[in-house]
Amino acid sequence: MRISEMLKDAVRTKTYQNAIYQNRFLFKDKVVLDVGAGTGVLSLFCAKGGAKHVYAVECSTMAETAREIVKTNGFSDVVTVIKGKLEDITLPVDKVDIIISEWMGYFLLFENMLDTVLYARDKWLVPGGLVMPDKTSLYLTAIEDAEYKQEKINFWEQVYGFDMSCIKKQAMVEPLVDVVDANQIVTHAAHLKTMDISKMSTGDASFTAPFKLVATRNDFIHALVAYFDVTFSMCHKPIGFSTGPKARPTHWKQTVMYLEDVIAICEGEALTGTMTVSQNKKNPRDLDVTVTYNFKGKRSQASRTQHYRMR
């Protein structure tokens, strides 16, 4: 994910800024750890918000750039940039009062830094300390997407007179990260999982959750769409943002999983099933997603298990 894309994501960056600037009472004279600091913008917000000291940890070469940005803006006495893998570094302090991080990946959990944040929490956070943000929730909805499915998936069945359907199989297995038009949504959203970063353990990011998607109109379902919300619940007035199709777009967009079946659903009918999300055993940064769905409607029936892999 490009740094410029993340910084230009006003929804993301402004929410972090507001969570800090509007809650200076949380930061006053506190020691903060910024996990995966990137350019150091969150560390600078914390410094400006009254933090006593901020340790900005970044393992990539971006650490040198962050150090220069901190110096240029006159915060070198408050923000210390540490280059290295968080699990390998030594902090100059025993404990920190606040951990701040922008750890979320596509589909919330793809290529995320959650394990690193939890490691930092268990090693350095004082009892009663804050993790920011502290809550994330994953949601699922369903969309009509005939045009795109035809263009991106079914295209491979007949390519200039040749059968390339083996590529179609690959295309079906890999979820698509894209911005979904809110007008395509056919059902209510179902809540899959909420994670409390201040309390959860590493294994909680792998889960199986049931879903029930109730149609809001007569339409066809071609794909499921996953998105997430982020909350800073410790603020004087809780603040957060959504990456859903009805919210202002973010660089996380939404995650689209195409179904083998085209489901003709009538208003009030429900598509039910379960979703299982787990880290891939060979590459923990990859995600394995299994969806089992059942539908018995007036105009169509479907029952299937599909496997997806984000890589």
Side-chain angles (χ1 to χ4, degrees):
M1 215 178 274
R2 296 192 307 277
I3 292 291
S4 62
E5 190 186 2
M6 291 162 76
L7 277 177
K8 285 174 186 169
D9 185 340
V11 174
R12 158 204 181 265
T13 311
K14 268 286 189 197
T15 305
Y16 275 87
Q17 186 183 44
N18 291 338
I20 296 162
Y21 288 1
Q22 292 172 12
N23 296 277
R24 290 170 190 265
F25 70 96
L26 293 175
F27 288 86
K28 189 171 162 37
D29 301 329
K30 294 291 195 290
V31 176
V32 180
L33 173 61
D34 181 357
V35 177
T39 57
V41 68
L42 301 186
S43 294
L44 290 169
F45 288 159
C46 293
K48 212 170 171 182
K52 179 178 166 187
H53 206 90
V54 185
Y55 295 99
V57 180
E58 174 55 50
C59 68
S60 76
T61 52
M62 185 56 69
E64 284 90 19
T65 308
R67 204 170 278 132
E68 197 177 324
I69 292 168
V70 167
K71 189 180 175 186
T72 303
N73 288 279
F75 283 104
S76 295
D77 54 339
V78 184
V79 179
T80 303
V81 178
I82 300 169
K83 185 178 188 298
K85 200 163 172 266
L86 188 119
E87 290 83 352
D88 301 335
I89 62 154
T90 305
L91 281 184
V93 290
D94 290 333
K95 293 288 174 191
V96 299
D97 303 295
I98 298 171
I99 291 173
I100 196 160
S101 181
E102 196 274 78
W103 58 266
M104 300 79 72
Y106 295 126
F107 188 70
L108 182 61
L109 296 166
F110 177 59
E111 290 192 338
N112 71 80
M113 291 198 311
L114 179 58
D115 284 356
T116 305
V117 172
L118 298 180
Y119 175 90
R121 179 199 70 186
D122 295 344
K123 185 167 183 178
W124 287 298
L125 193 64
V126 296
L130 302 177
V131 182
M132 300 182 76
D134 61 328
K135 289 194 173 67
T136 56
S137 295
L138 193 60
Y139 295 90
L140 194 67
T141 190
I143 60 166
E144 180 282 322
D145 203 14
E147 199 180 324
Y148 203 94
K149 190 178 180 185
Q150 182 61 38
E151 189 186 314
K152 298 290 177 192
I153 310 282
N154 297 338
F155 167 79
W156 299 107
E157 289 171 6
Q158 183 77 345
V159 185
Y160 301 107
F162 299 103
D163 181 343
M164 297 191 185
S165 52
C166 57
I167 297 178
K168 177 185 173 177
K169 285 181 190 137
Q170 272 172 268
M172 286 293 289
V173 165
E174 291 179 16
L176 177 78
V177 174
D178 205 353
V179 175
V180 169
D181 184 337
N183 294 322
Q184 292 175 267
I185 299 168
V186 177
T187 68
H188 289 298
H191 170 259
L192 290 172
K193 173 88 172 171
T194 293
M195 296 190 295
D196 184 337
I197 319 305
S198 60
K199 297 190 178 96
M200 70 179 287
S201 59
T202 308
D204 295 345
S206 294
F207 64 89
T208 297
F211 62 82
K212 183 180 181 182
L213 302 174
V214 180
T216 54
R217 64 181 191 229
N218 288 13
D219 213 327
F220 297 96
I221 292 175
H222 296 96
L224 300 178
V225 174
Y227 62 93
F228 62 91
D229 291 355
V230 173
T231 309
F232 296 77
S233 74
M234 76 297 292
C235 296
H236 174 63
K237 186 177 170 186
I239 189 171
F241 61 85
S242 171
T243 64
K246 291 180 180 175
R248 192 172 156 196
T250 69
H251 71 274
W252 287 285
K253 303 173 185 173
Q254 290 90 40
T255 303
V256 182
M257 288 162 277
Y258 286 99
L259 302 180
E260 297 272 1
D261 303 286
V262 175
I263 295 168
I265 196 167
C266 298
E267 186 179 347
E269 290 180 344
L271 173 67
T272 59
T274 58
M275 178 179 276
T276 299
V277 179
S278 57
Q279 288 179 325
N280 182 268
K281 286 181 172 62
K282 285 183 185 166
N283 183 356
R285 283 175 81 87
D286 288 0
L287 270 191
D288 290 331
V289 181
T290 301
V291 174
T292 298
Y293 59 89
N294 296 289
F295 179 70
K296 280 188 181 153
K298 278 184 287 192
R299 294 176 186 163
S300 70
Q301 282 84 39
S303 184
R304 197 183 292 272
T305 296
Q306 284 186 235
H307 301 281
Y308 303 92
R309 182 166 176 193
M310 295 193 75
R311 55 182 161 192

